[in-house]
Amino acid sequence: MRFLKANKIFNGNFFLPDNSVLVLNEQNNLIEILPESKVSNQTVEFFEGIITPGFVNAHCHLELSYLANKIPVKTGLVNFIINIIKQRQQEYKKEQIIESAFNADLEMWQNGIVVVGDISNNEDSFKIKQNSKIKYHTFIEVIGLNPNNKSKIFDNALLLSNQLREFKLNGSIVPHAPYSTSLDLIQLIANYNRENNLPLSIHNQETEEEKKFFYGIQNDFKKLYEFIKVDISFFKAPNCSSLSAYLPYINNQKAILVHNTFSEQADIHEAAAKNCFFCLCPNANLFIENKLPDYSIFKSYTNNLCLGTDSLASNYKLDLLSEANLILKHTHTFSLENMLQMLTFNGALALNLHDSFGQLLINKNTGLNLISFIDSEIKLIKKII
Ligand SMILES: [Zn+2]
């Protein structure tokens, strides 16, 4: 048995009363939280700093880890996607792709991350995720703007989803983004996930071009579709924001909107009314568009915020604290408590894994990190378990 105490203990949602002691058994499961007065005849380990549950990275693409340092920075989303496609067309060795994913998984674990919501377009990373100490929820991602192809695309995703299950990994099917996935396909996926109580994720309002695309104003996506030689003459701009176009299909279910770099107050209001989660990935936003969201528009919705690293194709490291610190440096909108909740409970709730992770839970090992908070910067001192 271990008895742990620190300057402060954060339970995933708030700080515990001072002098709280965490009692762990030999399996590192939390068995009790006691006031120190009740454990006076035991050896209590004291930690200088703040103890938190393990961190939850709500948005990553492990399978893209081999593209670290391969993509030019700050070129805008459309050029970023074109560069990713060009790289994926090159003949990279499977071993290199797998080794990079293995290292990225280890990096996240060492950075105090215990849960990841991870996008997969293929099976490259499944084995790594199966053998990882990290708990993964895999988002099988689909792309297809032509509504006529929706059934074929969805059936293919179900096949990949079955493959995922053979690795004993949990996951769900998700649309890539509103500019790349038809509303019909988004509806089909949303209905399927709702019926099966599975979380959905979608890249949302990551570029100004997305707005223009939905309002029928000239935009860069023409260049993207020309590059991939896909005729989109069938596409009729709905003349509303991308979010307003697909939100009617999200009902009574978990949905994680990722990036939100160009979202406006009205968008966030509308999505929060449907209890959507907003996943912030600031380092990737700077890498791709050199722009950060207006964080003040999320002030009333801190319970709906979580954090993501995105992939090593659009980030220099997979370190959730680097994301948190970038936000803290850029805005005073959020308190330390808000930020710790984004790092832990909110992501677990968004991924439907809050019964096992993201908060201090009796009879569970949700990971324990020891952090410091000095000069508005959070640092990982060490992983306690
Ligand atoms: Zn992404």
Side-chain angles (χ1 to χ4, degrees):
M1 295 247 277
R2 290 177 75 185
F3 298 83
L4 316 182
K5 194 178 161 241
N7 297 99
K8 279 186 175 298
I9 299 174
F10 185 78
N11 76 350
N13 286 294
F14 49 82
F15 288 110
L16 295 180
D18 286 348
N19 294 319
S20 294
V21 174
L22 305 180
V23 185
L24 306 184
N25 67 10
E26 278 68 33
Q27 288 76 45
N28 282 331
N29 289 337
L30 176 70
I31 48 172
E32 247 182 319
I33 302 174
L34 295 172
E36 196 178 11
S37 55
K38 292 257 175 74
V39 290
S40 52
N41 54 347
Q42 302 289 348
T43 312
V44 177
E45 299 171 53
F46 178 77
F47 293 91
E48 193 72 46
I50 305 168
I51 293 178
T52 73
F55 302 143
V56 179
N57 180 1
H59 185 74
C60 186
H61 303 243
L62 201 61
E63 70 189 18
L64 296 182
S65 301
Y66 71 105
L67 296 179
N69 303 313
K70 292 279 193 299
I71 311 290
V73 299
K74 306 185 199 310
T75 60
L77 183 66
V78 169
N79 291 320
F80 174 81
I81 295 171
I82 290 173
N83 283 319
I84 292 273
I85 295 168
K86 281 183 185 165
Q87 289 287 338
R88 290 191 113 165
Q89 284 166 347
Q90 287 185 30
E91 290 293 307
Y92 281 95
K93 286 206 176 82
K94 216 41 160 193
E95 302 90 76
Q96 190 187 346
I97 294 172
I98 290 167
E99 193 189 340
S100 306
F102 176 85
N103 291 333
D105 170 74
L106 192 62
E107 179 190 344
M108 286 197 276
W109 176 254
Q110 286 164 346
N111 286 334
I113 295 167
V114 296
V115 174
V116 177
D118 189 63
I119 306 276
S120 285
N121 296 99
N122 58 48
E123 75 292 346
D124 285 350
S125 61
F126 289 179
K127 188 116 193 119
I128 304 292
K129 294 193 240 194
Q130 184 188 33
N131 294 325
S132 175
K133 291 182 196 163
I134 291 174
K135 172 77 177 177
Y136 280 91
H137 179 94
T138 297
F139 293 118
I140 304 280
E141 185 180 76
V142 303
I143 293 176
L145 193 61
N146 191 333
N148 293 331
N149 299 333
K150 70 168 182 182
S151 302
K152 195 178 80 194
I153 294 167
F154 188 75
D155 289 348
N156 281 336
L158 279 178
L159 290 177
L160 189 57
S161 188
N162 289 340
Q163 248 178 292
L164 183 77
R165 219 165 297 135
E166 284 168 24
F167 285 84
K168 307 216 171 345
L169 291 164
N170 52 337
S172 46
I173 297 169
V174 301
H176 168 252
Y179 55 79
S180 66
T181 318
S182 67
L183 290 174
D184 286 19
L185 184 51
I186 292 175
Q187 182 178 24
L188 183 63
I189 293 168
N191 288 347
Y192 181 84
N193 286 346
R194 187 184 320 109
E195 282 158 19
N196 293 286
N197 192 28
L198 294 167
L200 182 148
S201 134
I202 184 166
H203 293 85
N204 181 62
Q205 297 173 313
E206 194 178 350
T207 172
E208 187 71 23
E209 301 307 308
E210 182 172 320
K211 186 175 177 180
K212 294 184 199 161
F213 188 67
F214 274 76
Y215 276 98
I217 301 165
Q218 199 180 356
N219 63 81
D220 283 357
F221 284 109
K222 188 168 173 279
K223 179 173 150 189
L224 174 64
Y225 283 105
E226 278 170 8
F227 175 75
I228 57 174
K229 299 189 175 65
V230 171
D231 175 20
I232 57 158
S233 54
F234 60 85
F235 180 77
K236 297 274 171 289
N239 215 19
C240 63
S241 83
S242 56
L243 183 62
S244 298
Y246 72 78
L247 210 51
Y249 306 119
I250 311 278
N251 293 298
N252 305 313
Q253 62 194 117
K254 299 264 173 80
I256 307 174
L257 314 188
V258 183
H259 294 300
N260 315 296
T261 329
F262 292 83
S263 299
E264 293 169 18
Q265 180 81 75
D267 296 317
I268 299 308
H269 259 344
E270 204 182 338
K274 292 225 165 174
N275 227 347
C276 290
F277 289 87
F278 307 103
C279 180
L280 307 175
C281 309
N283 279 302
N285 300 155
L286 290 183
F287 190 110
I288 297 171
E289 286 275 342
N290 197 25
K291 165 104 165 59
L292 291 173
D294 171 5
Y295 294 112
S296 68
I297 63 178
F298 300 98
K299 188 160 182 57
S300 307
Y301 309 113
T302 54
N303 288 335
N304 299 44
L305 290 175
C306 51
L307 299 173
T309 57
D310 215 348
S311 72
L312 284 174
S314 62
N315 206 339
Y316 300 102
K317 48 187 173 177
L318 302 180
D319 175 6
L320 218 53
L321 288 184
S322 162
E323 309 299 326
N325 287 327
L326 179 54
I327 295 171
L328 287 171
K329 199 172 142 193
H330 191 78
T331 177
H332 296 293
T333 306
F334 309 117
S335 65
L336 174 64
E337 222 161 343
N338 293 152
M339 200 47 85
L340 294 180
Q341 200 187 359
M342 289 183 217
L343 283 160
T344 57
F345 180 73
N346 293 353
L349 182 64
L351 295 168
N352 241 353
L353 291 170
H354 55 294
D355 288 339
S356 307
F357 293 98
Q359 54 179 332
L360 298 180
L361 293 161
I362 301 301
N363 294 325
K364 295 275 162 75
N365 173 357
T366 63
L368 289 179
N369 293 333
L370 181 68
I371 59 164
S372 64
F373 183 60
I374 299 164
D375 296 333
S376 300
E377 198 179 344
I378 309 171
K379 280 191 180 140
L380 181 68
I381 300 170
K382 66 170 180 175
K383 281 168 69 73
I384 299 173
I385 57 170

